């Protein structure tokens, strides 16, 4: 046991003397988590969307078109839609360059046709390179179209009066004759106010989870959802790098020289496995610490998470012990190891949310440690004990260990 | 001419060695294809779809207004399912309460519960929500038109709402005519990302190993000069990037009907981009002495550049500040040029700024790589 601990201590010291690869592999998941978190973080205070660039072309320059332009410019919409009024030639040029999400074109005679209750068409030109924002503009214009249609129909008679006023010289308008019309308009306005202030029917919108419970997703929640997946992916990379010693020591003859000492093969195997597990745990703890301090991630009951981390690191060490017992040389290990890790990570949910994957991919994901670790971490976050994840990781880890030890013994004695 | 031939001979040999490695095809073809499929499906099934947004309406209303309101909600792109009780599973749910009609007829205001699942499509939820607002606006307009009359008789006969203002939407003239598929987005992004990753990793490690094993020094015993060795290494890595780009574009064209607009221009963009990456790989291989460090640095750089450059998600959803930061990524300029070609049928003048930035990056990276290129440790 003493010899095992001596080798372990020596290994750890050696790796700490040249820590650059480990530091880089710790930095990658943290930076990726930071980047994804910053991009997809819920932006509650400024609305859920980034500002949408909209070009507005007003060929009409009339009363109603100005009302429509004003709707784009109200305080609530300003946060979402950043409107630039332009002429059509310039607008089309900018749309061809992809400088805006959409361009809205109000046609000539828009006001006059509408006041005559004739159908009019607003054109929305969408940026083909964008998938989401142009549709937001289109739906907004659709809603404004409904509101305008309703307003024009509700005040059809008054609209005719306005139409006449717009076309006649000011001096020719008989204000006495307008008085009854204005009176009727006032009555309608008062009647409409009953429906509009407050709105007779409005929506009370809530976000729910599958069970129907309310949820509020914060940036820290997003980091907490991403970081475990990234952590297990790069834990696999780091432990693979550390366990590669098994091969390089055999290649450069160190192993043969070590076996001339009173060291038993099992002690050496134990030291390597323990080294992989201890370093894996250390790396995981560094990621947890940075995640907590920088990203404010709440991991749930820490003891449970530590247990899950220990099971994950154990599985990883056992897997790479077996892997390095089976591959022939360092090149083969490098060539097969990284694709295996990336496949685990892709199917296991480290690179994308498993819910968004095709069913077949999700089924493959169950065979990966990533999936069990990520699911376990999610359960711990919710305050639940990750029993299934622990059983699978520890159980399959033990099986891998049982296969790795005799294979490694054979390799050492070759 | 002889110099060029010597340089190309060494570059070709480097390429042959890389292509001879079976794992090379996993990294340059198989793995990127898995990425293309996954991200292509994600683009498709994420916020670009579903084509029809589902809405479940729990109609508990004891009067006729509930059904009338549901009819107003029905519109293209929204599939309404009406039930009598709250289902366990739903994406979006609207509850019409038992007194919905009574409150309308009494002209009393009310708020309807609209619930959307946080894990369901945001785009579909936004579409349904705006259609609900539009339905409310239609009903209110009809109520205003109806005036002070008895609302219990409203449905017996009332002025119908007319969509006087219509909206026609489309894409700019001379650009795309059909909505681009998820693969039109995922293939360029994956190609750019994997050129970065593979050229940096493979190119960097092989330069480092050639130096450590003394291959580069021994080359100088041949008629090759140090400058020719550098150019050969650069050309070999550039050819590797181009080979990968050609393979992925061919797969995209054959299996996913990829449309890159003007193909020669798209290849020019990828050629300049590959040259910048080739120079960076020689630099990384010259500066680093350990394989693990090269792999780590390359994965770090490739992933951060890909994320910032818009290879993984549409740049439109990225906050403006991060979009500006993204301009430091070479991937950003490559993606910008490819987008202009793919989605706007761009021509050379449209992509010149991006090509200029990538060209400048290639020149600077090459000059720095020349400065640090070493044939021995």
């Amino acid at each position: 046991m003493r010899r095992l601990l001596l080798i372990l201590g020596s290994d750890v010291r050696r790796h700490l003397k040249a820590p650059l690869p480990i530091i880089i592999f710790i930095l990658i998941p943290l930076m990726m988590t930071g980047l994804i978190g910053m991009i997809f973080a819920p932006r509650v205070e400024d609305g859920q969307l980034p500002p949408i660039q909209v070009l507005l072309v007003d060929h009409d320059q009339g009363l109603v078109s100005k009302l429509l332009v004003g709707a784009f410019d109200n305080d609530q919409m300003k946060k979402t839609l950043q409107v630039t009024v332009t002429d059509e030639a310039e607008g089309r040029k900018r749309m061809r360059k992809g400088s805006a999400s959409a361009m809205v074109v109000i046609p000539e005679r828009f006001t006059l046709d509408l006041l005559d209750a004739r159908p009019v068409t607003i054109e929305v030109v969408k940026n083909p390179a964008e998938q989401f924002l142009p549709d937001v503009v289109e739906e907004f214009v659709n809603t404004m179209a409904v509101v305008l249609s309703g307003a024009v129909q509700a005040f059809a008679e008054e609209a005719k009066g306005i139409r006449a006023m717009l076309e006649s010289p000011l001096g020719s308008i008989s204000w006495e004759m307008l008085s009854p019309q204005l009176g009727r308009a006032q009555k309608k306005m008062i009647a409409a106010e009953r429906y509009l202030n407050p709105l007779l029917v409005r929506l009370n919108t809530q976000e729910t989870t599958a069970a129907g419970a309310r949820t509020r997703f914060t940036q820290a929640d997003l980091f907490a959802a991403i970081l475990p997946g990234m952590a297990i992916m790069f834990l696999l990379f780091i432990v693979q790098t550390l366990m590669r010693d098994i091969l390089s020591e055999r290649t450069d003859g160190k192993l043969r020289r070590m076996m001339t000492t009173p060291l038993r093969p099992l002690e050496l195997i134990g030291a390597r496995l323990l080294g992989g597990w201890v370093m894996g745990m250390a790396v995981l703890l560094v990621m947890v610490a940075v995640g907590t301090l920088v990203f404010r991630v709440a991991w749930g009951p820490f003891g449970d998470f530590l247990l899950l981390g220990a099971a994950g690191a154990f599985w990883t060490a056992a897997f790479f012990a077996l892997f390095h017992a089976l591959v022939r040389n360092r090149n083969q290990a490098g060539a097969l190891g990284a694709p295996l890790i990336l496949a685990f990570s892709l199917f296991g949910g480290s690179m994308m949310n498993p819910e968004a994957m095709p069913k077949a991919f999700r089924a493959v994901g169950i065979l990966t440690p990533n999936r069990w670790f990520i699911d376990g971490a999610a359960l711990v976050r919710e305050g639940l004990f990750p029993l299934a994840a622990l059983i699978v990781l520890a159980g399959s880890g033990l099986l891998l260990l049982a296969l790795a030890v005799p294979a490694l013994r054979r390799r050492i004695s070759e | 001419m002889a110099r060029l031939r010597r340089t190309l001979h060494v570059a070709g040999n480097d390429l042959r060695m890389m292509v001879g490695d079976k794992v090379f095809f996993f990294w340059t073809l198989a793995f990127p294809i898995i990425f293309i499929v996954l991200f292509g499906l994600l683009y498709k099934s994420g916020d670009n779809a579903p084509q029809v947004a589902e809405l479940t309406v729990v109609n508990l209303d004891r009067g006729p207004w509930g059904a009338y309101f549901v009819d107003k909600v029905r519109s293209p792109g929204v599939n309404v399912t009406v039930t009598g009780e709250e289902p366990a599973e739903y994406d979006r749910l609207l509850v019409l309460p038992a007194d919905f009609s009574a409150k309308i007829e009494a002209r009393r205001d009310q708020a309807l519960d609209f619930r959307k699942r946080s894990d369901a499509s945001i785009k579909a939820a936004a579409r349904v929500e705006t259609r609900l607002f539009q339905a409310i606006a239609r009903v209110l307009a009809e109520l205003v038109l109806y005036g002070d009359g008895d609302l219990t008789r409203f449905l017996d006969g009332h002025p119908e709402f007319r969509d006087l203002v219509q909206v026609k939407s489309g894409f700019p003239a001379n650009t795309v005519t059909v909505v681009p598929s998820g693969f039109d987005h995922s293939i360029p992004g994956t190609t750019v990302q994997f050129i970065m990753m593979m050229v940096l990793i493979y190119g960097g490690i092989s330069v480092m190993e050639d130096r450590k094993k003394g291959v580069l020094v021994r080359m100088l015993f041949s008629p090759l000069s140090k400058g020719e060795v550098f150019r050969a290494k650069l050309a070999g890595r550039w050819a590797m990037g181009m080979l990968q780009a050609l393979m992925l574009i061919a797969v995209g064209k054959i299996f996913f009907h990829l449309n890159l607009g003007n193909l020669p221009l798209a290849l020019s963009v990828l050629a300049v981009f590959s040259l910048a990456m080739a120079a960076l790989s020689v630099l990384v291989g010259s500066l680093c002495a350990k394989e693990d460090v090269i792999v780590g640095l390359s994965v770090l750089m490739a992933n951060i550049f890909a994320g910032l450059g818009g290879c993984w998600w549409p740049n439109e959803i990225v906050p403006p500040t991060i979009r500006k930061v993204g301009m430091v990524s070479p991937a950003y300029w490559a993606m910008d040029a490819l987008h202009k070609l793919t989605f706007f049928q761009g021509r050379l003048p449209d992509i010149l700024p991006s090509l200029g930035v990538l060209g400048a990056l290639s020149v600077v990276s090459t000059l720095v790589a020349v400065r640090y290129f070493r044939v021995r440790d």
Side-chain angles (χ1 to χ4, degrees):
Chain A
M1 187 67 182
R2 195 170 151 266
R3 286 192 292 255
L4 188 150
L5 291 175
L6 275 173
I7 298 171
L8 176 67
S10 150
D11 281 355
V12 172
R13 271 195 303 277
R14 187 161 45 83
H15 287 301
L16 290 180
K17 267 184 192 167
L20 194 56
I22 296 176
I23 291 174
I24 293 172
F25 278 122
I26 291 176
L27 270 179
I28 298 170
L30 294 172
M31 290 183 77
M32 297 294 298
T33 304
L35 180 66
I36 297 170
M38 277 191 290
I39 288 171
F40 291 103
R43 292 178 283 273
V44 175
E45 64 283 359
D46 296 327
Q48 292 290 326
L49 296 170
I52 305 173
Q53 300 297 326
V54 182
L55 302 174
L56 195 57
V57 179
D58 183 4
H59 286 305
D60 178 48
Q61 301 282 340
L63 187 70
V64 185
S65 73
K66 280 181 183 153
L67 276 175
L68 189 58
V69 174
F72 277 96
D73 207 31
N74 78 44
D75 287 344
Q76 210 181 349
M77 291 313 294
K78 259 185 192 168
K79 287 177 189 165
T80 310
L81 304 178
Q82 292 192 341
V83 179
T84 308
V85 179
T86 181
D87 62 82
E88 188 160 357
E90 174 65 17
R92 292 205 183 271
K93 203 169 127 190
R94 289 176 68 175
M95 283 308 293
R96 272 199 51 80
K97 284 185 180 170
S99 317
S101 294
M103 177 172 76
V104 179
V105 183
I106 304 170
E108 281 178 28
R109 291 188 53 85
F110 181 74
T111 300
L112 295 178
D113 284 347
L114 209 50
L115 293 177
D116 284 344
R118 275 197 224 129
V120 290
T121 303
I122 299 173
E123 187 187 358
V124 177
V125 183
K126 301 196 283 184
N127 183 337
E130 295 184 357
Q131 297 199 310
F132 186 85
L133 303 185
D135 288 355
V136 175
V137 179
E138 188 184 1
E139 285 296 348
F140 175 70
V141 177
N142 273 326
T143 307
M144 290 313 301
V146 171
V147 171
L148 273 180
S149 299
V152 167
Q153 282 168 79
F155 294 93
E157 284 177 35
E158 291 72 19
K160 279 180 197 156
I162 295 168
R163 170 85 168 84
M165 281 169 68
L166 289 174
E167 293 220 314
S168 313
L170 198 61
S172 68
I173 298 167
S174 164
W175 294 96
E176 289 78 18
M177 280 175 66
L178 280 177
S179 177
Q181 281 193 23
L182 289 172
R184 275 200 303 275
Q186 186 193 24
K187 275 183 191 165
K188 276 192 187 172
M189 297 277 272
I190 291 167
E193 201 183 5
R194 271 190 302 174
Y195 298 121
L196 303 177
N197 189 24
L199 274 180
L200 190 71
V201 181
R202 56 188 185 279
L203 292 181
N204 174 24
T205 305
Q206 304 164 25
E207 273 209 355
T208 61
T209 60
R214 248 179 241 189
T215 179
R216 187 180 157 81
F217 205 68
T218 64
Q219 192 176 41
D221 292 333
L222 186 64
F223 287 134
I226 301 165
L227 194 51
M230 290 284 166
I232 184 76
M233 176 174 164
F234 285 90
L235 182 73
L236 286 163
F237 271 114
I238 291 170
V239 174
Q240 184 213 13
T241 307
L242 300 174
M243 300 287 281
R244 217 182 285 168
D245 285 354
I246 294 172
L247 283 174
S248 50
E249 282 173 353
R250 208 178 67 214
T251 314
D252 61 21
K254 272 189 204 135
L255 195 63
R256 207 175 306 145
R257 269 173 277 167
M258 282 168 95
M259 294 323 292
T260 58
T261 66
L263 188 66
R264 279 178 298 172
L266 264 180
E267 284 173 328
L268 185 64
I269 294 167
R272 291 283 172 262
L273 277 163
L274 205 58
W277 182 72
V278 166
M279 291 297 282
M281 278 301 286
V283 163
L284 205 61
L285 285 175
V286 171
M287 290 192 209
V288 167
V290 177
T292 309
L293 294 172
V294 179
F295 301 129
R296 309 265 172 225
V297 171
W299 301 94
F302 192 66
D304 292 355
F305 186 80
L306 209 61
L307 212 56
L308 184 71
F314 168 67
W315 190 97
T316 312
F319 176 79
F320 281 110
L322 178 63
F323 176 80
H324 287 108
L326 296 177
V327 293
R328 275 192 223 124
N329 51 43
R330 229 181 121 85
N331 285 347
Q332 207 176 50
L336 295 174
L340 257 177
I341 294 171
L342 287 174
F344 282 168
S345 306
L346 190 62
F347 293 108
S350 289
M351 294 183 176
M352 61 183 68
N353 184 357
E355 294 297 318
M357 288 184 198
K359 270 185 185 164
F361 281 58
R362 260 182 279 169
V364 177
I366 294 171
L367 303 172
T368 68
N370 302 53
R371 183 65 191 273
W372 290 101
F373 185 80
I374 293 166
D375 286 356
L379 283 176
V380 175
R381 263 200 321 277
E382 286 169 22
L384 302 168
F385 187 71
L387 185 64
L390 281 173
I391 289 173
V392 171
L393 287 172
S396 54
L398 280 170
L399 185 68
L400 290 168
L401 185 71
L403 295 169
V405 172
L408 279 174
R409 278 187 80 163
R410 219 171 23 249
R411 276 278 152 138
I412 288 172
S413 48
E414 269 173 11
Chain B
M1 198 59 180
R3 280 183 174 186
L4 182 66
R5 220 175 15 244
R6 284 199 297 267
T7 306
L8 290 179
H9 179 74
V10 177
N13 193 47
D14 269 12
L15 189 63
R16 261 196 305 279
M17 282 167 66
M18 286 181 213
V19 174
D21 185 355
K22 282 175 202 150
V23 180
F24 173 83
F25 283 99
F26 172 83
W27 285 110
T28 52
L29 195 62
F31 201 59
I33 288 174
I34 297 174
F35 252 73
I36 285 168
V37 172
L38 260 182
F39 277 93
L41 291 174
L42 268 185
Y43 268 115
K44 232 172 157 180
S45 63
D47 279 326
N48 197 30
Q51 291 296 316
V52 177
E54 298 290 334
L55 170 67
T56 306
V57 178
V58 182
N59 189 1
L60 306 173
D61 186 26
R62 284 193 288 263
W65 281 89
Y68 185 71
F69 182 72
V70 171
D71 277 345
K72 295 280 176 198
V73 177
R74 291 184 205 277
S75 54
V78 175
N79 184 31
V80 180
T81 309
V82 183
T83 68
E85 56 186 27
E86 190 174 323
E89 287 292 321
Y90 61 83
D91 284 337
R92 289 155 288 278
L93 185 84
L94 178 74
V95 182
L96 298 175
D99 57 353
F100 180 68
S101 290
K103 276 190 171 167
I104 287 184
E105 286 165 2
R107 294 186 170 86
R108 273 168 49 208
D109 69 288
Q110 59 186 313
L112 305 178
D113 270 352
F114 173 55
R115 298 176 208 158
K116 45 190 183 182
R117 282 266 306 273
S118 53
D119 54 348
S121 163
I122 299 169
K123 185 172 175 179
R127 189 193 299 162
V128 168
E129 205 167 348
T130 48
R131 298 296 165 84
L132 289 173
F133 283 127
Q134 288 164 18
I136 290 170
R138 285 191 170 94
V139 170
L140 292 183
E142 286 179 347
L143 288 174
V144 173
L145 278 171
Y146 190 74
D148 286 334
D150 179 5
L151 286 177
T152 55
R153 294 191 179 164
F154 176 90
L155 296 176
D156 298 336
H158 62 90
E160 281 284 345
F161 181 90
R162 282 171 59 210
D163 281 303
L164 282 175
V165 183
Q166 282 159 5
V167 180
K168 185 185 92 183
S169 65
F171 295 121
N174 303 322
T175 59
V176 292
T177 47
V178 290
V179 180
S181 76
F183 297 112
D184 288 332
H185 285 276
S186 75
I187 295 174
T190 306
T191 304
V192 166
Q193 183 199 350
F194 275 86
I195 288 177
M196 265 192 302
M197 199 141 86
M198 296 336 301
V199 173
L200 286 174
I201 292 177
Y202 260 82
I205 289 176
S206 54
V207 165
M208 183 268 293
E209 281 189 339
D210 282 357
R211 188 184 69 245
K212 287 186 106 176
K213 288 176 183 168
V215 177
L216 296 182
V217 174
R218 268 174 268 172
M219 278 180 163
L220 294 184
F221 289 106
S222 71
L224 284 163
S225 67
K226 190 181 167 188
E228 283 168 337
V229 172
F230 175 81
R231 282 196 291 275
K233 292 290 156 194
L234 188 68
R237 274 128 203 88
W238 174 80
M240 180 194 161
M242 283 311 290
L243 178 68
Q244 184 172 22
L246 286 171
M247 287 194 301
L248 291 177
I249 288 173
V251 167
K253 287 249 172 219
I254 296 165
F255 296 106
F256 304 111
H257 307 292
L258 171 69
N259 171 25
L260 278 177
N262 187 323
L263 189 60
L265 283 181
L267 287 175
S268 324
V269 172
L270 293 172
V272 182
F273 179 72
S274 296
L275 184 63
M277 291 305 113
L280 274 179
S281 78
V282 178
L283 176 66
V284 169
S286 301
L287 291 177
C288 301
K290 278 191 170 179
E291 185 184 319
D292 293 335
V293 175
I294 294 178
V295 172
L297 271 179
S298 303
V299 171
L300 180 65
M301 279 199 289
N303 281 325
I304 296 294
F305 282 161
L308 284 174
C311 295
W312 291 341
W313 40 66
N315 237 347
E316 66 193 283
I317 61 163
V318 175
T321 319
I322 298 177
R323 226 181 293 178
K324 277 185 191 141
V325 174
M327 291 168 104
V328 302
S329 161
Y332 173 91
W333 298 100
M335 291 300 291
D336 183 57
L338 291 175
H339 273 173
K340 281 178 179 146
L341 296 171
T342 307
F343 301 118
F344 297 95
Q345 306 296 306
R347 295 179 182 180
L348 184 62
D350 300 316
I351 60 164
L352 267 182
S354 302
L355 273 180
V357 173
L358 289 174
L361 178 71
S362 304
V363 171
V364 172
S365 312
T366 306
L367 289 175
V368 179
V370 168
R371 164 74 182 75
Y372 288 99
F373 183 63
R374 292 178 296 155
V375 291
R376 60 171 66 85
D377 269 326

